[in-house]
Amino acid sequence: MQYRELKVAGAWEITPKQFGDDRGVFLEWFKQESFTDAVGRPLELAQANCSVSAAGVLRGIHYADVPPGQAKYVTCVSGSVLDVVVDLRVGSPTFGQWDSVLLDTKDRRAIFLTEGLGHGFLALEDNSTVVYLCSTGYNPDREHEVHPLDPEIGIDWPTTGPDGRSLTYELSAKDRTAPTLADAREAGRLPHAQDSATDP
């Protein structure tokens, strides 16, 4: 596995080594030993999620209160998505910045994001299937969102899928009414860098 730290501190792109023949492909999409060596901490697993989305579905930007927060290890097992991480940690040198990783069935990459970072993705194909390993379980009272189309963040979401067809963004009601980054910060709802498991 190859690990590359993204420009947002506390987030990594993971590219597995694939072994293929005429029968198909085998790969390790998560390995605790190499993960801990690269990231500097183990991933404690409390919950595993699976999300299936039509082309154009835009999910996020989601985050959890810190502490304890929720670290995520994410990959796409069918279709393709642009997976985005946003630094929502007030006081972080990269606060408000974002980075992205294309998750698809060609390179079969994964992305890891530590507690305090925001996460979202855009499905680029129908039936795009994303699976997550999570360090803590879902707690609706501690889960929040920032609007994924906030111009202050300025995420460059794709407008076409890999087949060249235009994408029409579809957001949940909760994500459509999510606050901007500035509003969430003013309301005191964002995590703080000093409370995060990773000191940026």
Side-chain angles (χ1 to χ4, degrees):
M1 287 185 175
Q2 295 180 336
Y3 291 80
R4 179 178 70 87
E5 189 164 13
L6 301 180
K7 69 180 183 182
V8 173
W12 280 263
E13 171 194 88
I14 302 99
T15 303
K17 186 172 182 179
Q18 301 185 58
F19 302 90
D21 56 27
D22 57 1
R23 300 169 301 157
V25 174
F26 173 84
L27 65 129
E28 296 171 339
W29 74 277
F30 174 78
K31 191 169 186 178
Q32 186 74 268
E33 183 178 3
S34 62
F35 175 85
T36 302
D37 288 345
V39 176
R41 59 173 279 191
L43 176 61
E44 296 181 14
L45 178 60
Q47 184 170 316
N49 300 334
C50 179
S51 172
V52 182
S53 303
V57 169
L58 180 52
R59 301 183 186 271
I61 301 295
H62 300 153
Y63 67 99
D65 287 340
V66 177
Q70 186 182 67
K72 296 176 182 176
Y73 189 101
V74 184
T75 195
C76 181
V77 296
S78 178
S80 60
V81 304
L82 184 73
D83 200 279
V84 173
V85 56
V86 181
D87 194 345
L88 302 178
R89 301 166 297 188
V90 176
S92 167
T94 55
F95 175 76
Q97 294 184 30
W98 63 275
D99 206 346
S100 64
V101 175
L102 176 64
L103 304 181
D104 59 19
T105 55
K106 178 184 175 186
D107 296 313
R108 301 186 186 275
R109 290 188 175 100
I111 185 172
F112 170 73
L113 52 150
T114 195
E115 296 85 350
L117 298 178
H119 176 251
F121 66 83
L122 173 66
L124 305 177
E125 302 177 59
D126 286 336
N127 296 312
S128 291
T129 304
V130 174
V131 292
Y132 316 61
L133 303 178
C134 303
S135 64
T136 58
Y138 175 70
N139 183 337
D141 295 332
R142 302 181 63 83
E143 302 281 335
H144 308 288
E145 52 281 327
V146 169
H147 205 289
L149 301 177
D150 180 357
E152 181 184 352
I153 302 173
I155 298 169
D156 187 16
W157 297 109
T159 57
T160 57
D163 59 2
R165 288 191 295 175
S166 295
L167 296 172
T168 300
Y169 302 149
E170 295 183 42
L171 283 70
S172 69
K174 185 170 69 169
D175 289 341
R176 282 196 306 270
T177 59
T180 64
L181 180 65
D183 288 344
R185 183 176 188 176
E186 185 176 338
R189 297 183 66 184
L190 296 178
H192 289 266
Q194 67 266 23
D195 299 325
S196 175
T198 299
D199 188 13

